[in-house]
Amino acid sequence: MVQATLFLLVLSLALAAPGLSARKSPLLQCVLTGTWVNDLGSNMTIKALNGKGEFLGSYHTAVTVTNNKIQVSPLQGSQHHTNQKRQPTFGFTVNWSYSDSITVFTGQCFIDEDGKEVLKTMWLLRSYVDNINDDWKATR
């Protein structure tokens, strides 16, 4: 339960792409592909999108309360692609390699007033529970 709470805190932070240089312009396109790092040092890498807007990648959290060794975890997702908006919406799932949980994210890629790409997301984490009576505490 404590693990899930800290995990939620980590994931609720905006993911930002440090080191990207972008000029302030209304024509800038926010691109998901690349490495993203949040305020606590967790990072994810999104590989190239295919023609359908689907992508694969990895997520490496910097914070956990479990005694398990943190491992890089696979992610797969999709960017909305039917209209070529410059600040696209997206969603992805992380299947945590070191715990019995999965997190789904949905969000949007923004270009802030300084020309920096920023991801804003919301997420749900589902943890394993032993029986249906504990279902109430499994999703955060």
Side-chain angles (χ1 to χ4, degrees):
M1 185 175 269
V2 175
Q3 173 188 353
T5 302
L6 280 176
F7 181 74
L8 293 176
L9 173 63
V10 169
L11 297 178
S12 65
L13 298 172
L15 295 169
L20 293 176
S21 59
R23 293 188 318 259
K24 204 173 187 181
S25 166
L27 301 177
L28 289 175
Q29 177 75 28
C30 197
V31 178
L32 290 180
T33 304
T35 299
W36 298 85
V37 179
N38 72 10
D39 296 342
L40 296 177
S42 297
N43 66 75
M44 75 172 175
T45 300
I46 296 177
K47 297 178 183 173
L49 281 69
N50 68 19
K52 297 178 185 177
E54 301 163 336
F55 57 87
L56 297 173
S58 60
Y59 197 103
H60 188 243
T61 186
V63 180
T64 187
V65 294
T66 181
N67 291 329
N68 299 338
K69 182 182 177 192
I70 296 173
Q71 299 174 18
V72 175
S73 299
L75 69 81
Q76 61 183 29
S78 182
Q79 174 181 307
H80 194 268
H81 70 287
T82 58
N83 53 15
Q84 298 300 315
K85 301 287 186 186
R86 64 180 201 92
Q87 298 186 126
T89 57
F90 61 90
F92 62 90
T93 301
V94 177
N95 184 357
W96 299 105
S97 298
Y98 64 94
S99 69
D100 292 333
S101 59
I102 290 181
T103 301
V104 294
F105 295 79
T106 186
Q108 187 170 353
C109 187
F110 290 99
I111 303 211
D112 71 11
E113 54 278 345
D114 295 324
K116 187 176 180 181
E117 294 172 304
V118 176
L119 301 183
K120 290 292 189 172
T121 62
M122 296 292 291
W123 50 268
L124 287 172
L125 174 125
R126 177 65 188 211
S127 298
Y128 171 83
V129 291
D130 289 323
N131 64 63
I132 196 168
N133 295 328
D134 292 330
D135 182 64
W136 66 273
K137 65 182 179 180
T139 302
R140 309 209 182 268

